[in-house]
Structures are given as structure tokens and as C-alpha cells.
């Protein structure tokens, strides 16, 4: 039974750690926030008194942190304390530069590493159905895969270190653009006297079909499980979508790629978040579009 340290027990990290416990791993979690540590204890996740205790004798260390700077800082501390051969898995969504720096730090301590950002939101984290997009050497991916399978149902090796983040950034750029497109279609349909259900029934079985429509429909009714039926409680918060879209634009600028729709989506979500809606589900942008404030 592998010993796993889990650093970062927030909305995503806690249910992921809980699923590792259910799968039989010896887990020790830690988070800087008192509330997160308390919630972890209630969920049956053993909590260390500090990060040093969490990583003691850990064969695998998983991080789920808010920003790239946090990942680099934690890795910089880890590599001074952990033995060679420890497997480091970062499940955060961060910028490419930070992801590559984390791999460099791991290598400096003779540790294998995988960047493994996730898709599936808090629901997928709780259900253990996340998709993991993984970057790293083949041997590191093979070692990480059984651990990740305890938390997700689709584990994809995307190639070299950093490629997991690249896949996540590209995927979420598609998601942000498609949610705006679906929302605009429903707003237009409303103006034309088309019911939400009629538009859904047509588009869901026609060329307009996409995940943002059929799984996460931004208007109440057609998809009962979508956040639109719960006053747009996340889900996936608009502030996080904006973070990912900004990462896509940083990556595009660095790579010299033209992403005009990605840039437009980032600008729209920035307006939405600046208007005070960062804590709402990202599908709530339909309300801003309906109001003509875009």
C-alpha cells in the first residue's frame, strides 16, 4: 500500500484525497487553511500538522494548488526534503513556465514527476470520474497511472513534461468559447420566440451539439443536472474559467499562435468576473449576454 501525501485540500483536492483513502492508499493531507483541514478530517482524510509531517516517508506527493507560483514554491521546498525516487504529481492548472520549472526541480532531486491537471469539476472529483491530462516521462506516467485511476476514469498521457498543462489549456479554451457560443444561441433564440427546449432538442441532435449544450446547458430546464437549475452555483466558477483562458492567451503569445476567439472569450469572461460574478458558475455568462453588457 503506497503512502501518499496530498497537499491542497480545497474544493477539488479534498474529494480527490478522499477517493484515494477509499481506494486503500495511506493518505496524509495538508492545507494551509484551517477550514480545509477541518473539512478533510470530517471526510475521513488523515490530516498532518504541517507539510513536513505530510510528506514524511511518502512515496507519492500530489499537489493541487491555486497558481503556478505556489507549485514552484512548494516544489522548491520539497526537493530539499524528499528522498530520490519520490514520485511528484501536480494536479493544479498552471502556466506552462511553472509546470516546466516544477519538472526541473523534481529532476534536480532525482525524482520523477508528472503534470496532471484535471477536467470534470467538483462533481467529477467527488464521483472519481475525472479526466487527467498527463505530461512527463513514460516511466513516471506508468508509476502515476494507478494512483490517478483511484481518482478518475480517463488517464491520458499527452507526452513530455508540460504537455498535460498544454492539453488542459487548449481544452478549456474550447470550453470557454463553446459556452459563449451556446449562450449566444439561446439568447438569440429567446429574441426570436424560440423556446429553450425546442432549441435544445434541435441543436442537441444536430451540428450544434457540444458538451456545453448537452451536459452543461446554460439555461434552466433542458439538462436538469446543469448549474442553470441551481441558480448557477458552481460547478466550475467563472473566475477559474477566466484563469484558464488567460493561461491560454499567455501560451498562445509565447508560442506565436493566433487565437482570436480565445482572446475574445477571455475578454468576455473578464467583464463578467469584474462585474462581480467570479464566484458563479461560468455558464451564468448567458445572463450577461442576455443583458447586452458584453
Amino acid at each position: 500500500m503506497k503512502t501518499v501525501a496530498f497537499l491542497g485540500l480545497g474544493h477539488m483536492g479534498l474529494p480527490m484525497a478522499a477517493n484515494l483513502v477509499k481506494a486503500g492508499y495511506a493518505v496524509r493531507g495538508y492545507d494551509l487553511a484551517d477550514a480545509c483541514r477541518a473539512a478533510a478530517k470530517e471526510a475521513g482524510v488523515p490530516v498532518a500538522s504541517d507539510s513536513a509531517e505530510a510528506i514524511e516517508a511518502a512515496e507519492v506527493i500530489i499537489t493541487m494548488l491555486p497558481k503556478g507560483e505556489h507549485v514552484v514554491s512548494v516544489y522548491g521546498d520539497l526537493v530539499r526534503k524528499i528522498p530520490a525516487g519520490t514520485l511528484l504529481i501536480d494536479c493544479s492548472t498552471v502556466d506552462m513556465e511553472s509546470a516546466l520549472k516544477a519538472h526541473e526541480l523534481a529532476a534536480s532531486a532525482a525524482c520523477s514527476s508528472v503534470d496532471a491537471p484535471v477536467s470534470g469539476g467538483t462533481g467529477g472529483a467527488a464521483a472519481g470520474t475525472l479526466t487527467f491530462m498527463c505530461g512527463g516521462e513514460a516511466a513516471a506516467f506508468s508509476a502515476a497511472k494507478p494512483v490517478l485511476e483511484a481518482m478518475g476514469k480517463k488517464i491520458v498521457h499527452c507526452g513530455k513534461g508540460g504537455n498535460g498543462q498544454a492539453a488542459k489549456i487548449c481544452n478549456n479554451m474550447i470550453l470557454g468559447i463553446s459556452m459563449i457560443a451556446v449562450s449566444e444561441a439561446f439568447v438569440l433564440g429567446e429574441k426570436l420566440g424560440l423556446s429553450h427546449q425546442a432549441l435544445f432538442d434541435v441543436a442537441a441532435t444536430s451540428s450544434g451539439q457540444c458538451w456545453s449544450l448537452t451536459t452543461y446547458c446554460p439555461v434552466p430546464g433542458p439538462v436538469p443536472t446543469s448549474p442553470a437549475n441551481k441558480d448557477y452555483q458552481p460547478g466550475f466558477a467563472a473566475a477559474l474559467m477566466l484563469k484558464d483562458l488567460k493561461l491560454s492567451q499567455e501560451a498562445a503569445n509565447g508560442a506565436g499562435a493566433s487565437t482570436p476567439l480565445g482572446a475574445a472569450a477571455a475578454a468576455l469572461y473578464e467583464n463578467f468576473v469584474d462585474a462581480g460574478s467570479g464566484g458563479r458558475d461560468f455558464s451564468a455568462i448567458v445572463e450577461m449576454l442576455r443583458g447586452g453588457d458584453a
Side-chain angles (χ1 to χ4, degrees):
M1 179 171 63
K2 285 188 178 296
T3 300
V4 180
F6 205 113
L7 306 181
L9 300 171
H11 294 301
M12 292 293 293
L14 174 53
M16 291 167 66
N19 281 329
L20 286 172
V21 173
K22 292 175 185 175
Y25 287 92
V27 179
R28 286 196 301 270
Y30 182 71
D31 195 287
L32 290 173
D34 293 342
C36 290
R37 296 197 301 273
K41 289 178 182 177
E42 284 188 25
V45 176
V47 178
S49 59
D50 55 30
S51 60
E53 181 184 346
I55 67 173
E56 186 177 352
E59 299 166 84
V60 181
I61 300 174
I62 300 174
T63 46
M64 177 58 102
L65 304 170
K67 296 181 180 179
E69 62 196 73
H70 302 139
V71 174
V72 172
S73 176
V74 167
Y75 270 52
D77 182 57
L78 286 176
V79 297
R80 295 194 295 268
K81 299 176 179 178
I82 58 178
T86 304
L87 173 61
L88 303 179
I89 305 173
D90 180 45
C91 294
S92 318
T93 296
V94 302
D95 59 284
M96 292 292 297
E97 183 179 354
S98 295
L100 294 173
K101 180 63 176 176
H103 280 287
E104 290 175 8
L105 286 166
S108 73
C111 293
S112 54
S113 57
V114 176
D115 56 292
V118 305
S119 178
T122 54
T129 58
L130 294 170
T131 294
F132 287 88
M133 296 149 269
C134 304
E137 297 295 331
F141 172 72
S142 294
K145 189 176 181 182
V147 181
L148 299 177
E149 285 175 336
M151 301 180 285
K153 69 175 184 179
K154 183 74 171 179
I155 321 297
V156 181
H157 188 206
C158 299
K160 63 184 179 180
N163 275 18
Q165 295 296 345
K168 175 65 184 288
I169 289 168
C170 292
N171 178 77
N172 278 24
M173 186 173 71
I174 295 171
L175 179 60
I177 293 168
S178 65
M179 182 55 74
I180 291 170
V182 170
S183 296
E184 287 185 351
F186 274 103
V187 171
L188 176 58
E190 292 166 2
K191 298 286 188 182
L192 298 175
L194 193 60
S195 73
H196 292 162
Q197 191 64 52
L199 176 55
F200 179 85
D201 289 345
V202 171
T205 55
S206 301
S207 54
Q209 190 278 331
C210 63
W211 188 92
S212 292
L213 173 69
T214 56
T215 301
Y216 224 75
C217 186
V219 296
V223 179
T225 55
S226 73
N229 297 285
K230 301 174 184 177
D231 196 29
Y232 298 101
Q233 297 175 32
F236 186 51
L240 296 178
M241 173 52 76
L242 176 59
K243 170 193 167 184
D244 289 357
L245 287 168
K246 285 185 173 179
L247 290 176
S248 78
Q249 293 314 290
E250 289 176 16
N253 291 336
S258 176
T259 57
L261 290 179
L268 286 169
Y269 273 102
E270 187 156 30
N271 289 343
F272 188 54
V273 170
D274 287 349
S277 295
R280 304 185 76 195
D281 191 81
F282 81 106
S283 60
I285 198 166
V286 68
E287 294 188 342
M288 184 183 81
L289 296 169
R290 186 180 289 123
D293 296 328

